[in-house]
Amino acid sequence: MEKIKKTPLCKEHVKLGAKMVPFGGWEMPLQYGSIIDEHLTVRNYAGLFDVSHMGEFFIYGPESINFLQKLVPQNISKLTTGKAVYSQLINPNAGIIDDLIIYRLEDKEYNPSFLLIVNASRIDDDLHWVEFNKKNDQFDVEIENKSAELAMIAIQGPLATEIIEEFGLSKEDQPSRFSIKETNLDSFKVFISRTGYTGEDGFEIIINNKEAPSLWQELLSKGEKYGLKPIGLGARDTLRLEAAMLLYGQDMNEKTTPVEASLGWSIPIDKEEDYYGKNIILSQLSNENLDKILVGFRMLDKSIPRHDYEIFKDDEKVGYVTSGGIAPFVGANIGLGYVSTKIPTSIGTKIDINIRGKLHPAEMVKRPFYTRSRRV
């Protein structure tokens, strides 16, 4: 039996009274108190997350741009130093091996340098895929997997900028949206990026494992007057669902393409270089060979949709729910799911969700369910 792994912050969670659960091979905090309270804390103030189980790959070398161009649909040649893009690792059938964020760092020894943040459950598969491609095509690149050496702490919420300012990094010096910089937070040497997975403004901070507990404690101490609280996996899931952010393994996998997953917005159609699955992806962007599509919906009664529930249209099964639950800030029960492209998918289309043998009414709605611009 594989030994469950612990992040360098595990003892901090236990000290704070978190309910610890196994998650993807890791012992992680599910909640410290009420999930709804934690959710609303992030929406109204700020929350602190341990995301140290995520993976970090560094890519260096003179051919690193060409290397990444083959692996992802995004146009990496347009990524300037300090900026980031969301993209997907794609297999030859256009299936999603993983979704990831790619940062372009300061050049290393005059060669392009990149940081890839990948999902915890996909670290081994992703590493195998990038190393296979390096070897198979003889790319002149260096791949460093630093996942076991680095921790990552996310601070998310409308007051996150004020809390980071307490560490000597003024708002003017903080990275802009989807940017990264290497800097100091007081005495801590970190990478800090303006990214996150909650739908809120905020940062993700990468630091070595040894210093992570001290930074975690300092963040909670300096953030207390702003209402900062530690947040567990339970609220992280309701926050990302409310923001309609997909969860790998549930909402997408190697059998779904980015277009089917409604991620077409992340794919430039003018990228000249070839990449895995390009012909399939471009044809699906033209609405050809597209059999299913991810949609968002809200329930029209008080029932709660869950993963794997069936979706019906006019008493015929047309799809399945991938994520579902309560949206505490929006005040609705919502979900994501794949439906056949043979049915209408416009906003307001009425569907039904099969919950324990009974059909419950729902309607397709615009995603994301929550945005900061629509905050009341």
Side-chain angles (χ1 to χ4, degrees):
M1 180 181 292
E2 186 179 356
K3 185 178 179 181
I4 192 163
K5 291 176 280 191
K6 297 181 179 181
T7 77
L9 298 172
C10 189
K11 290 183 179 177
E12 302 299 317
H13 305 316
V14 174
K15 281 195 293 185
L16 290 167
K19 179 181 179 182
M20 304 298 288
V21 297
F23 176 78
W26 294 79
E27 186 177 0
M28 299 295 291
L30 176 65
Q31 59 195 98
Y32 300 83
S34 159
I35 290 176
I36 291 178
D37 177 67
E38 290 178 17
H39 182 110
L40 297 177
T41 293
V42 175
R43 290 279 181 255
N44 294 312
Y45 307 101
L48 202 61
F49 301 79
D50 177 11
V51 283
S52 303
H53 57 316
M54 303 284 282
E56 295 91 7
F57 300 165
F58 289 83
I59 309 287
Y60 310 110
E63 292 188 298
S64 53
I65 292 177
N66 292 339
F67 178 60
L68 292 172
Q69 288 285 57
K70 179 184 177 183
L71 298 179
V72 303
Q74 268 286 2
N75 192 344
I76 302 303
S77 67
K78 293 185 177 180
L79 190 60
T80 57
T81 300
K83 294 294 184 181
V85 291
Y86 170 83
S87 195
Q88 306 87 33
L89 282 177
I90 302 297
N91 68 26
N93 297 319
I96 303 172
I97 296 171
D98 197 5
D99 68 326
L100 73 170
I101 294 180
I102 302 173
Y103 301 89
R104 182 160 183 174
L105 307 175
E106 292 285 342
D107 292 352
K108 183 176 183 180
E109 297 177 351
Y110 307 107
N111 289 314
S113 173
F114 296 90
L115 167 62
L116 280 54
I117 302 294
V118 304
N119 283 298
S121 63
R122 302 298 289 170
I123 292 173
D124 292 343
D125 294 274
D126 293 355
L127 188 61
H128 173 78
W129 183 241
V130 296
E131 288 184 336
F132 166 78
N133 276 278
K134 173 192 172 182
K135 183 178 180 181
N136 193 52
D137 290 337
Q138 297 291 298
F139 280 108
D140 187 5
V141 297
E142 182 179 350
I143 301 166
E144 288 185 351
N145 174 19
K146 296 280 190 180
S147 306
E149 303 170 34
L150 298 173
M152 190 156 77
I153 298 170
I155 179 168
Q156 300 279 293
L159 299 184
T161 55
E162 278 79 359
I163 297 168
I164 291 300
E165 202 167 22
E166 295 277 341
F167 284 81
L169 195 63
S170 69
K171 290 179 182 176
E172 291 74 23
D173 288 333
Q174 293 172 7
S176 59
R177 182 70 181 154
F178 259 71
S179 295
I180 190 170
K181 67 190 306 183
E182 191 171 11
T183 187
N184 289 320
L185 296 180
D186 285 346
S187 62
F188 300 102
K189 186 176 181 180
V190 301
F191 282 107
I192 180 169
S193 64
R194 195 77 167 255
T195 48
Y197 221 62
T198 62
E200 289 299 330
D201 191 12
F203 304 91
E204 291 177 309
I205 305 165
I206 298 169
I207 188 170
N208 66 67
N209 285 345
K210 186 177 179 181
E211 291 189 290
S214 297
L215 176 59
W216 174 269
Q217 293 164 10
E218 281 293 305
L219 283 163
L220 285 176
S221 176
K222 291 183 175 178
E224 186 176 5
K225 63 182 178 184
Y226 298 98
L228 180 71
K229 293 180 180 178
I231 309 297
L233 291 176
R236 181 172 170 81
D237 193 53
T238 56
L239 287 159
R240 71 92 194 162
L241 176 58
E242 208 171 53
M245 293 174 167
L246 309 191
L247 180 64
Y248 193 88
Q250 277 192 196
D251 303 310
M252 55 184 157
N253 55 42
E254 293 206 40
K255 294 182 179 179
T256 54
T257 73
V259 183
E260 292 169 342
S262 293
L263 297 173
W265 57 267
S266 68
I267 300 171
I269 59 173
D270 60 347
K271 178 176 172 178
E272 295 182 357
E273 292 87 348
D274 198 15
Y275 57 84
Y276 281 114
K278 182 176 183 179
N279 291 338
I280 297 171
I281 288 171
L282 292 184
S283 69
Q284 289 187 338
L285 282 173
S286 301
N287 289 321
E288 299 171 359
N289 307 312
L290 189 62
D291 297 325
K292 62 182 179 181
I293 190 80
L294 190 84
V295 299
F297 63 88
R298 73 180 180 95
M299 302 304 299
L300 297 177
D301 62 13
K302 294 182 179 180
S303 58
I304 301 174
R306 297 296 185 192
H307 176 67
D308 267 352
Y309 285 0
E310 297 170 328
I311 300 175
F312 280 72
K313 172 68 176 170
D314 299 329
D315 293 325
E316 180 181 353
K317 181 183 174 184
V318 293
Y320 54 95
V321 176
T322 53
S323 288
I326 299 168
F329 193 86
V330 171
N333 297 333
I334 58 175
L336 299 170
Y338 284 94
V339 298
S340 167
T341 53
K342 293 178 181 178
I343 71 165
T345 56
S346 56
I347 304 304
T349 298
K350 298 292 189 294
I351 55 177
D352 295 293
I353 309 300
N354 184 357
I355 301 177
R356 291 183 288 277
K358 182 180 178 182
L359 296 183
H360 290 259
E363 68 176 2
M364 296 183 194
V365 295
K366 184 179 179 181
R367 291 165 291 145
F369 307 100
Y370 163 82
T371 64
R372 280 180 282 150
S373 62
R374 293 209 293 267
R375 176 186 289 276
V376 177

